[in-house]
Amino acid sequence: MGKSYEQIQVGDQGHFEKTITETDIYLFAGITGDLNPAHVNQRVAESSMFKGRIAHGMLSAGLISAVLGMYLPGPGTIYLSQNLKFMAPVYIGDTIKAVAEVIEKMEKGRVRLKTTCYNQDGKIVLDGEAVVIAPKESC
Amino acid sequence: MGKSYEQIQVGDQGHFEKTITETDIYLFAGITGDLNPAHVNQRVAESSMFKGRIAHGMLSAGLISAVLGMYLPGPGTIYLSQNLKFMAPVYIGDTIKAVAEVIEKMEKGRVRLKTTCYNQDGKIVLDGEAVVIAPKESC
Amino acid sequence: MGKSYEQIQVGDQGHFEKTITETDIYLFAGITGDLNPAHVNQRVAESSMFKGRIAHGMLSAGLISAVLGMYLPGPGTIYLSQNLKFMAPVYIGDTIKAVAEVIEKMEKGRVRLKTTCYNQDGKIVLDGEAVVIAPKESC
Amino acid sequence: MGKSYEQIQVGDQGHFEKTITETDIYLFAGITGDLNPAHVNQRVAESSMFKGRIAHGMLSAGLISAVLGMYLPGPGTIYLSQNLKFMAPVYIGDTIKAVAEVIEKMEKGRVRLKTTCYNQDGKIVLDGEAVVIAPKESC
């Protein structure tokens, strides 16, 4: 599980995939306080441009956090920054794959990764980059 | 509830504040799959540089999402992008205030906001900027 | 966010709307201990007069509490009393709108509100009145 | 489990008791959308008259619903109305006992009950009355 700064190479990839449920969205709403009608109000959401309730963008971002903290670099990673572009909606029942790919080994143990979430049709729903401090030793 | 693009002015602020509990962190871990030991393993976490379990950075980011989607601009907002810098750890029991402040009205209904999370001591734990499309009419 | 006793006028309205999910009902059952078959036993519930599992009446009442505590009067409100008449069942997937309307400003900072929950067809599912102490200053 | 209208006598009592946790309050907040600072914001709550975060009044009311729907009259009961007076705050860790006592057998299978919630010190935190239709046969 996980790689140290030493072991990491540009091009390394990690991923995590999960089907997003209504339960995920409702619990996420409660945790964050984001009970925006787009997420929890079917009547309003179905008359919006998205035609139905959608997941919080930060929920998909959480899957990226899972990849970085669990797999690449993995446990011991310190999360410094993340850029996020919300490209397409995620609906209840969509299966989202978060992928992180190392694009640069920086100084002081830092690593830059391209971070992307795809839905089950291969469409990019979330795009961006992360910078982390990789662990000195893998766990 | 909320403001339309028309009503929004540079300098407008919205905020949401919540005490982060162990329950929040554990549910967030389950939803996102991010069961990094830093969040859910007290034994490992207390021997790390943070000296204890910390909340997911994306959980604090979720509070920003709550401000944007619930208060400013509010319901009807479309989230385009978010930059996040994780500045300091959030511990169980910390009370986090997410603040969004309009810093630019852009073309095509877009609005740029400075987004910041503070802990109960006024320390910045998360910093960044969001770009959203504000609703044409407030809800 | 919210109004003080001074700012409140008879006729003021606040509302909150949410689609009720199976998850909501099951978590509510666990929290309250109300695992009545009407709520969590599909086999029994479908042979009852309601023809299926229904939400707890107190779950809809909780949406009223959300309006009073979050929007009108809002943060700082002290809840004194609530009368509830359960008028019609709420099913999984129903979108419930809780509305509070100020009907009387009483002495000692007290306010009486008509509190009503409607489903997506505009049918009243819950009716009643609340008395609260409004905050001296809005938050 | 439970009694039919026929079997019920004035003076019959049912009860349910539970320790209220931070988890209960946070989940309840998410389900109902009531993230009032009194419930989820320790910084604000500790400077309020209650000196700390308190449970939602409707959470205690849910324990009454549990007694009526699970024990007296029990499964098959139809909840018609409930009056609630919130008498004292419920804190994280308080053990709340909800008691229902039959005070009147009415026409058409209806039963009136006195409904009271006590904390671990015997203090009344919630008081009121319920009217239900008791089941024709006990389940």
Side-chain angles (χ1 to χ4, degrees):
Chain A
M1 281 182 66
K3 290 188 175 184
S4 66
Y5 179 79
E6 198 78 13
Q7 295 169 319
I8 287 172
Q9 300 194 352
V10 171
D12 283 353
Q13 284 199 352
H15 56 87
F16 176 64
E17 189 172 356
K18 189 192 171 192
T19 302
I20 306 302
T21 66
E22 191 181 59
T23 300
D24 289 320
I25 297 171
Y26 271 62
L27 288 177
F28 196 93
I31 292 167
T32 60
D34 187 353
L35 290 103
N36 183 322
H39 308 307
V40 300
N41 186 324
Q42 176 61 16
R43 193 185 63 79
V44 169
E46 72 193 9
S47 67
S48 77
M49 64 176 284
F50 297 125
K51 309 291 182 204
R53 286 171 295 167
I54 60 171
H56 303 75
M58 287 301 168
L59 202 166
S60 298
L63 302 192
I64 293 171
S65 170
V67 175
L68 302 177
M70 302 278 286
Y71 306 111
L72 182 71
T77 296
I78 296 170
Y79 212 164
L80 294 180
S81 67
Q82 177 74 54
N83 293 352
L84 301 164
K85 284 189 190 169
F86 305 107
M87 309 292 282
V90 171
Y91 294 96
I92 294 169
D94 280 358
T95 299
I96 303 302
K97 182 174 192 170
V99 180
E101 179 179 342
V102 176
I103 53 177
E104 185 187 356
K105 287 183 75 171
M106 304 159 76
E107 57 178 359
K108 295 182 185 172
R110 293 173 191 213
V111 175
R112 183 183 306 277
L113 303 103
K114 179 171 172 52
T115 54
T116 316
C117 292
Y118 303 88
N119 70 11
Q120 64 282 352
D121 301 320
K123 184 170 190 166
I124 294 178
V125 295
L126 182 54
D127 204 5
E129 283 185 15
V131 176
V132 302
I133 301 177
K136 287 188 181 156
E137 299 174 44
S138 59
C139 298
Chain B
M1 288 178 64
K3 288 190 174 182
S4 67
Y5 179 78
E6 198 78 13
Q7 295 168 321
I8 287 172
Q9 300 195 353
V10 171
D12 284 351
Q13 285 199 351
H15 56 88
F16 175 64
E17 188 173 357
K18 188 192 169 191
T19 302
I20 305 302
T21 66
E22 191 182 57
T23 300
D24 289 319
I25 295 171
Y26 273 65
L27 289 175
F28 196 94
I31 292 167
T32 61
D34 187 353
L35 291 103
N36 184 323
H39 309 306
V40 299
N41 186 325
Q42 175 61 15
R43 191 183 62 80
V44 170
E46 71 193 8
S47 66
S48 77
M49 65 176 283
F50 297 125
K51 310 290 180 203
R53 286 171 296 166
I54 59 172
H56 303 74
M58 287 301 169
L59 202 167
S60 298
L63 302 191
I64 293 172
S65 169
V67 175
L68 301 177
M70 300 281 284
Y71 304 110
L72 182 70
T77 297
I78 296 170
Y79 212 164
L80 295 180
S81 67
Q82 177 75 52
N83 295 350
L84 299 165
K85 284 188 190 169
F86 305 107
M87 309 292 281
V90 170
Y91 294 96
I92 295 170
D94 279 358
T95 299
I96 303 302
K97 182 175 194 168
V99 179
E101 179 179 344
V102 176
I103 52 176
E104 184 186 357
K105 289 183 76 171
M106 305 159 76
E107 58 178 359
K108 295 181 184 173
R110 292 172 191 213
V111 175
R112 183 184 306 277
L113 303 103
K114 178 169 172 53
T115 53
T116 316
C117 292
Y118 303 87
N119 69 13
Q120 65 281 354
D121 301 320
K123 182 169 190 166
I124 294 178
V125 295
L126 182 54
D127 203 3
E129 283 187 13
V131 177
V132 303
I133 302 178
K136 287 189 182 158
E137 300 174 42
S138 60
C139 297
Chain C
M1 288 181 66
K3 288 189 174 181
S4 67
Y5 180 78
E6 197 79 12
Q7 295 169 321
I8 287 173
Q9 300 194 353
V10 170
D12 283 352
Q13 285 199 350
H15 56 88
F16 176 65
E17 188 173 358
K18 188 192 170 192
T19 302
I20 305 301
T21 66
E22 191 181 57
T23 300
D24 290 318
I25 296 171
Y26 273 65
L27 288 176
F28 196 94
I31 292 167
T32 60
D34 187 353
L35 290 103
N36 184 322
H39 308 307
V40 299
N41 187 325
Q42 175 61 15
R43 191 183 62 78
V44 169
E46 72 194 8
S47 66
S48 76
M49 64 175 284
F50 296 125
K51 309 292 182 202
R53 286 171 295 166
I54 59 172
H56 304 74
M58 287 302 169
L59 202 165
S60 298
L63 302 192
I64 293 172
S65 169
V67 176
L68 302 177
M70 300 280 284
Y71 303 111
L72 182 70
T77 296
I78 296 170
Y79 213 164
L80 295 181
S81 66
Q82 177 75 52
N83 295 352
L84 300 164
K85 285 187 190 169
F86 305 107
M87 309 292 282
V90 171
Y91 293 97
I92 294 170
D94 279 358
T95 300
I96 303 302
K97 182 174 193 168
V99 180
E101 180 180 342
V102 176
I103 52 176
E104 184 186 357
K105 288 183 75 171
M106 305 160 76
E107 58 178 356
K108 295 182 184 171
R110 292 172 191 215
V111 176
R112 183 183 305 278
L113 302 103
K114 179 170 170 53
T115 54
T116 316
C117 292
Y118 302 88
N119 70 11
Q120 65 281 352
D121 301 321
K123 183 169 190 165
I124 294 178
V125 296
L126 182 55
D127 204 4
E129 283 186 13
V131 176
V132 302
I133 302 178
K136 287 189 183 157
E137 300 174 43
S138 61
C139 298
Chain D
M1 282 182 65
K3 289 189 174 182
S4 66
Y5 180 78
E6 199 77 14
Q7 295 169 320
I8 286 172
Q9 299 193 354
V10 171
D12 283 353
Q13 284 199 351
H15 56 88
F16 175 64
E17 189 172 358
K18 190 192 170 191
T19 302
I20 305 302
T21 66
E22 191 181 59
T23 300
D24 289 319
I25 296 170
Y26 271 63
L27 289 176
F28 196 93
I31 292 167
T32 60
D34 187 354
L35 290 105
N36 183 322
H39 308 306
V40 300
N41 187 326
Q42 175 62 15
R43 193 185 62 78
V44 170
E46 71 193 10
S47 67
S48 76
M49 64 176 284
F50 297 125
K51 309 291 181 203
R53 286 172 295 166
I54 59 171
H56 304 74
M58 287 301 168
L59 201 167
S60 298
L63 302 192
I64 293 172
S65 170
V67 175
L68 301 177
M70 301 279 285
Y71 306 110
L72 182 71
T77 296
I78 296 170
Y79 212 165
L80 294 181
S81 67
Q82 177 75 52
N83 294 352
L84 300 164
K85 284 188 190 169
F86 304 107
M87 309 292 283
V90 171
Y91 294 96
I92 295 170
D94 279 359
T95 299
I96 303 302
K97 182 174 193 170
V99 179
E101 179 179 343
V102 176
I103 52 175
E104 183 186 357
K105 288 183 75 172
M106 305 160 75
E107 58 177 359
K108 295 182 184 172
R110 293 174 190 213
V111 176
R112 183 184 306 276
L113 303 103
K114 179 169 171 52
T115 54
T116 316
C117 291
Y118 302 87
N119 70 12
Q120 64 281 352
D121 301 320
K123 183 169 190 166
I124 294 178
V125 295
L126 182 55
D127 203 4
E129 283 186 14
V131 176
V132 302
I133 302 178
K136 287 189 183 156
E137 301 174 43
S138 60
C139 298

